[in-house]
Amino acid sequence: MLGDGILKGMAETARNFFGSYVSKERLTTVEYPEQRIPTAENARVFPFLVYDGTDWEAGMRCVACQICEKECPPKCIYIDKSTDKKPDYVGKPQFYPARFDIDISVCMSCQICVEVCPFEAIKMDTQFELATDDRFGGLLYDRKELSRSNEYYHAIHPTEAAEVDARLAEEKAKVEAKAKAAAEAAAAKAAAAATQPAAPAKADSSGLAATAPEAASLTDATKPAGGGS
Amino acid sequence: MITMLGAANLLLANPLFTNLDQIFVLLRNWLVGFFPVAIRPAAGVVLGVVAIVCVFPGLFALTTVFERKGLGRIQNRLGPNRVGPFGFFQPIADGIKSLTKEDVVPFRANAVVHFLAPLVLVVTVFMGFAVLPMGRNMVLVDMDSGLLFFFAMGAATELSVFMAGWSSRNKYSMLGAMRAVAQMISYEVVLLLSAVSVVMIAGSLSLPAIVAAQNQYTGSFPHWYIFTPWGLAGFVVFAIAATAESNRSPFDLPEGESELVAGYHTEYSGFKFALFFLGEYLAMFSLSGLGVTLFFGGWLAPFSFLNFVPSWIWFFGKVMFFIFVFIWMRGTLPRLRQDQLMNFAWKFTLPFTLLNLLVTALWRFMGEGWQRWVVCTIILAAAYVIFGRIEMRRQHFGPRKYRYAE
Amino acid sequence: MSPIFYLLAALTLAGGLAAVLLKHLVHSALAVTVAFAGLALLFLQLDAQFAGFAQILVYIGAVAILIVFAILLTHGSELPKGGVFSHTWFLGLVIAAGVFAVLGWAVLASVSAVPQSNIVPSVTVHDIGIALVGRYVLPLEIVALLLTAATIGAVIVAMHEKERAR
């Protein structure tokens, strides 16, 4: 019969029309600023810097190794290494970033900086409401704006943060055990105690040195191509 | 046939009812009283025009927000709800936006014609309201040939559409205008012919007279033309043609977004675009008003015991119901293709309307009695089924063949 | 003769003149529409509602659109190189003047033939309808036949092309 398809369609839309007033599950709309869906645990937007404790400057995990700066594909990270050192989480003196800026207008949220960081110092944030009326200064975040506490990290990525904490605790325990063993050995040998604690630190820095040239060679390889184009 | 005119007269004698029913007429007469005697008739007309120019754009604003909310609900969305309570101030925000937007005229456009097109559209569409009876004694001009006037104004809107499309110097505008004009011409024939059947029975081209011809009740049931076989058939065709005439979905291919950007008003922005928008909705209102007047008894109450409700409430209520159906159809039906549109106009609706004219003549000359009901119903139903079968058989589902593109 | 008549007459004449003198074909078509509208308004001014509205419906709604369609579908909107004005415009002017003279003479001569009365004749649509299917039924039917023949002819012309395309 001609026209019955139209009537069927009209009945369907009428059902939708009245149904949307009756049953709430028909309406899938989330009225965003008032209502929010909790972000997924794996969500990632832009990177942030993790610090331990309460003081962001003292507890910052970043040691200004500059791997992320070199690895960053769009080159949106700017790091200045400090001249002095401060103790890191195991109590070893380390450099810290005197300047750590990320231009989030350039950042492409690839998470490579997080992957390459050997110190678990940079992680991905889930905060996405970053609109500002200042295109340049407002989107260039310095280290103070970038730093978030470890508790915040636990709040947004609980599973990942627990793994990281476990790993760090393990490393710290290992370092402490080594130091203890070294101290005991030193006591046993009754040698001078001043030079001994530096041994594990040397091993650490040699590992760092192994990765750094790699990164440097990578950037060297890409540079001529970039310059040519 | 028992008329309930006696009861109606009793009601009319009640002063409260008369005042409510005639409130706008009384208001106008009271306002006209302030003018000097010499210009009173002119002042009355001007006041009527002002009322129309105020009421219908107001209705337009309301309709836009209701349409968006209704479409949203049809698609299980919420619709606009940000501006004001439940989003009802949305049209005000839209109005401010369109007024403050830059008015861009293309460099190669024909500036004068480009400027005139929306004006011609809105003016001619507004003219159509002059002959619509919106309540008892509420018609601006009671013309002897009101229906003809209405269609003449409708014909003039086609020219404005063409002017808009041609003057923009844009291929999308031009194609949209060609489509719109072809569509409007095709369906105007059908629209006119379906209205002619009403004229044949009512014996007048004056719209108040057509309403008066339907002002009878059997028991408490009205004698509207929709409740006759030819009236129902005529109304269905009229509704289809009116939808096509006002470029509403599913006949909105003059502004098919997917292929033509926005059709003939692609190159319009700001207030001129708002005028086109207004004109389109006003055309919808006036065609709804005409449909109500021709087939649904205009301002008459649907049951004689409901006569105490003021007549203008009935008219506007019916028009708003029509608008609701327009929105409902827009939320339901997909857009037609150009060849489907033309085939439907010339191969289905036009022959059916011509047949309906014959049936109407039969109805007119068969006299009172049940025989004419049976005969007319059988002829129309049989024709509908046969036409429908032929149409359905012609349908080829499958990939479309292109004549020139391959 | 009221000032309104002169205004409308001027509008109609301006539209007609513009249609002849404008260079762009679409402009001419739109100017013709203005002339049609002026003519319709003149009818209305004479209280001939039916004629006036029929003028708008048929001439503006159909004829003007038809002209415009014809122009657009035949690339007529492009300006010809050799100018748009005919070289034999003087002959045309003479013929036009001749036609005008004949028409003017006919109108002036009919003034005395028709009885003058101050009563405005009121012709309702009803009267026109009765006259059309009563006294003038034969001309009406002849016109209807002519139009039907024209329609069939148009259909045949359109079909012919389709057959060839196959």
Side-chain angles (χ1 to χ4, degrees):
Chain A
M1 187 71 176
L2 186 70
D4 59 345
I6 291 177
L7 293 180
K8 259 185 237 164
M10 301 283 273
E12 181 62 38
T13 44
R15 217 165 21 244
N16 275 345
F17 181 80
F18 293 111
S20 69
Y21 284 101
V22 180
S23 69
K24 284 285 158 209
E25 58 262 33
R26 272 178 182 274
L27 290 173
T28 50
T29 310
V30 179
E31 291 183 81
Y32 157 62
E34 293 95 39
Q35 303 172 359
R36 281 152 192 279
I37 309 174
T39 46
E41 211 189 311
N42 289 345
R44 64 171 200 235
V45 184
F46 292 121
F48 69 97
L49 296 174
V50 192
Y51 66 85
D52 298 307
T54 47
D55 184 11
W56 68 269
E57 222 167 350
M60 184 165 283
R61 287 181 186 170
C62 179
V63 298
C65 67
Q66 292 177 311
I67 297 176
C68 52
E69 188 182 20
K70 287 179 182 115
E71 288 283 351
C72 179
K75 299 277 169 264
C76 68
I77 304 177
Y78 311 97
I79 300 173
D80 286 345
K81 204 179 245 183
S82 64
T83 46
D84 55 334
K85 291 190 177 185
K86 71 174 178 63
D88 68 353
Y89 62 103
V90 290
K92 197 169 58 178
Q94 292 272 27
F95 289 111
Y96 62 92
R99 183 175 80 117
F100 196 113
D101 292 348
I102 296 182
D103 190 347
I104 62 163
S105 66
V106 177
C107 176
M108 62 186 204
S109 311
C110 64
Q111 209 182 349
I112 287 177
C113 50
V114 177
E115 315 265 321
V116 299
C117 182
F119 299 95
E120 311 283 2
I122 189 164
K123 294 292 169 197
M124 296 306 278
D125 205 345
T126 53
Q127 177 64 32
F128 54 87
E129 288 155 315
L130 302 165
T132 168
D133 52 4
D134 180 7
R135 267 170 69 191
F136 304 105
L139 292 174
L140 184 69
Y141 284 11
D142 63 13
R143 55 191 189 132
K144 184 170 186 233
E145 285 165 307
L146 284 170
S147 46
R148 300 271 185 284
S149 70
N150 196 25
E151 286 73 49
Y152 176 80
Y153 181 38
H154 271 278
I156 57 171
H157 300 303
T159 326
E160 198 186 308
E163 275 169 29
V164 166
D165 269 15
R167 201 153 57 231
L168 286 180
E170 200 183 316
E171 262 173 48
K172 195 176 176 182
K174 223 187 267 171
V175 169
E176 270 168 5
K178 229 179 200 174
K180 216 173 167 186
E184 272 166 11
K189 283 179 184 170
T195 51
Q196 284 303 328
K202 228 171 222 167
D204 231 63
S205 62
S206 71
L208 198 154
T211 44
E214 249 180 51
S217 68
L218 258 173
T219 48
D220 281 348
T222 50
K223 240 175 206 166
S229 66
Chain B
M1 185 175 54
I2 311 150
T3 56
M4 297 293 281
L5 282 174
N9 282 339
L10 268 179
L11 269 170
L12 282 175
N14 184 351
L16 178 70
F17 166 77
T18 323
N19 285 347
L20 255 185
D21 189 48
Q22 297 294 304
I23 184 159
F24 296 113
V25 179
L26 293 174
L27 189 71
R28 188 176 80 165
N29 290 346
W30 179 69
L31 282 174
V32 165
F34 289 105
F35 290 95
V37 181
I39 62 163
R40 268 183 196 175
V45 172
V46 169
L47 278 174
V49 171
V50 167
I52 286 175
V53 169
C54 291
V55 166
F56 282 95
L59 212 58
F60 155 68
L62 261 182
T63 306
T64 51
V65 64
F66 272 118
E67 170 160 28
R68 290 173 63 185
K69 287 187 89 71
L71 282 180
R73 288 291 173 170
I74 281 172
Q75 296 156 7
N76 288 325
R77 291 185 289 110
L78 286 167
N81 61 355
R82 293 284 129 178
V83 194
F86 298 105
F88 277 116
F89 293 158
Q90 187 69 44
I92 299 172
D94 288 346
I96 293 170
K97 187 193 86 168
S98 66
L99 274 175
T100 51
K101 258 182 146 175
E102 188 189 355
D103 178 27
V104 184
V105 180
F107 174 63
R108 298 267 286 162
N110 199 306
V112 179
V113 183
H114 192 264
F115 173 77
L116 280 178
L119 287 184
V120 172
L121 177 73
V122 170
V123 167
T124 48
V125 169
F126 262 125
M127 302 265 267
F129 288 106
V131 289
L132 282 183
M134 299 172 205
R136 196 176 274 115
N137 304 331
M138 278 169 66
V139 57
L140 189 60
V141 195
D142 182 5
M143 263 184 231
D144 192 30
S145 47
L147 194 64
L148 197 69
F149 173 80
F150 190 94
F151 285 125
M153 288 304 125
T157 58
E158 287 160 20
L159 200 74
S160 71
V161 168
F162 167 76
M163 283 161 72
W166 176 77
S167 67
S168 295
R169 278 242 176 203
N170 177 320
K171 53 181 172 256
Y172 300 120
S173 301
M174 192 68 246
L175 280 172
M178 297 285 271
R179 276 189 186 186
V181 172
Q183 171 181 333
M184 284 162 107
I185 284 183
S186 306
Y187 280 92
E188 197 176 345
V189 176
V190 179
L191 194 75
L192 254 161
L193 285 178
S194 60
V196 163
S197 56
V198 171
V199 174
M200 281 164 72
I201 296 293
S204 173
L205 277 171
S206 154
L207 292 174
I210 288 173
V211 175
Q214 300 177 67
N215 194 3
Q216 295 169 357
Y217 293 92
T218 305
S220 55
F221 289 101
H223 277 210
W224 297 351
Y225 290 142
I226 182 77
F227 298 126
T228 55
W230 61 268
L232 183 64
F235 173 69
V236 170
V237 177
F238 179 89
I240 292 169
T243 316
E245 210 36 29
S246 52
N247 288 341
R248 292 283 299 187
S249 176
F251 301 103
D252 60 346
L253 67 174
E255 47 194 287
E257 297 89 350
S258 47
E259 64 257 40
L260 285 183
V261 189
Y264 53 87
H265 48 60
T266 303
E267 292 292 354
Y268 281 89
S269 60
F271 195 61
K272 285 185 201 157
F273 174 75
L275 281 182
F276 267 110
F277 208 52
L278 176 74
E280 221 159 88
Y281 273 80
L282 287 179
M284 190 165 85
F285 292 145
S286 67
L287 280 168
S288 301
L290 187 71
V292 164
T293 307
L294 292 181
F295 297 98
F296 280 78
W299 42 263
L300 299 171
F303 298 105
S304 57
F305 55 81
L306 285 175
N307 261 327
F308 64 90
V309 180
S311 53
W312 43 271
I313 288 188
W314 286 121
F315 178 81
F316 283 101
K318 287 172 191 173
V319 169
M320 286 323 276
F321 175 74
F322 268 53
I323 302 295
F324 174 74
V325 176
F326 266 122
I327 295 170
W328 188 7
M329 283 201 295
R330 184 179 164 191
T332 308
L333 303 176
R335 188 178 295 142
L336 267 75
R337 221 168 49 209
Q338 182 76 22
D339 58 330
Q340 291 169 335
L341 179 93
M342 285 299 162
N343 279 347
F344 190 62
W346 294 104
K347 293 186 184 168
F348 178 75
T349 51
L350 188 63
F352 196 67
T353 324
L354 290 174
L355 181 79
N356 194 36
L357 277 185
L358 280 179
V359 171
T360 313
L362 205 64
W363 174 275
R364 178 86 167 77
F365 290 113
M366 273 181 86
E368 306 263 332
W370 58 271
Q371 293 97 333
R372 63 176 186 177
W373 282 82
V374 176
V375 171
C376 293
T377 311
I378 286 175
I379 294 175
L380 285 172
Y384 181 75
V385 170
I386 292 167
F387 272 136
R389 280 285 153 82
I390 294 169
E391 286 286 307
M392 298 292 262
R393 213 192 305 147
R394 274 216 207 103
Q395 275 181 352
H396 308 293
F397 295 108
R400 188 181 168 192
K401 285 195 183 67
Y402 294 90
R403 213 156 103 207
Y404 301 111
E406 280 167 0
Chain C
M1 292 292 169
S2 63
I4 297 175
F5 169 80
Y6 287 109
L7 263 176
L8 292 178
L11 180 78
T12 313
L13 277 181
L17 273 179
V20 178
L21 294 176
L22 282 177
K23 285 201 174 70
H24 202 289
L25 213 46
V26 177
H27 285 172
S28 299
L30 292 176
V32 164
T33 315
V34 172
F36 286 155
L39 212 55
L41 289 172
L42 277 174
F43 278 131
L44 290 180
Q45 201 234 350
L46 291 172
D47 257 352
Q49 281 185 5
F50 187 85
F53 297 148
Q55 169 87 15
I56 295 177
L57 189 64
V58 174
Y59 280 87
I60 296 181
V63 173
I65 296 287
L66 189 75
I67 293 172
V68 154
F69 252 74
I71 292 170
L72 291 175
L73 291 177
T74 54
H75 297 277
S77 53
E78 289 151 19
L79 284 180
K81 276 179 194 139
V84 286
F85 297 112
S86 168
H87 296 294
T88 52
W89 63 273
F90 187 74
L91 190 68
L93 201 65
V94 170
I95 293 171
V99 171
F100 182 77
V102 170
L103 280 178
W105 171 76
V107 169
L108 287 177
S110 71
V111 168
S112 57
V114 177
Q116 294 288 311
S117 65
N118 288 329
I119 311 149
V120 179
S122 69
V123 181
T124 60
V125 181
H126 191 254
D127 298 339
I128 295 173
I130 296 289
L132 271 182
V133 292
R135 194 178 158 195
Y136 299 106
V137 70
L138 193 65
L140 182 76
E141 289 303 318
I142 291 170
V143 168
L145 257 178
L146 189 71
L147 285 178
T148 313
T151 313
I152 293 170
V155 169
I156 286 171
V157 167
M159 273 169 77
H160 187 63
E161 192 191 16
K162 204 179 168 186
E163 298 252 314
R164 229 175 235 177
R166 274 180 200 165

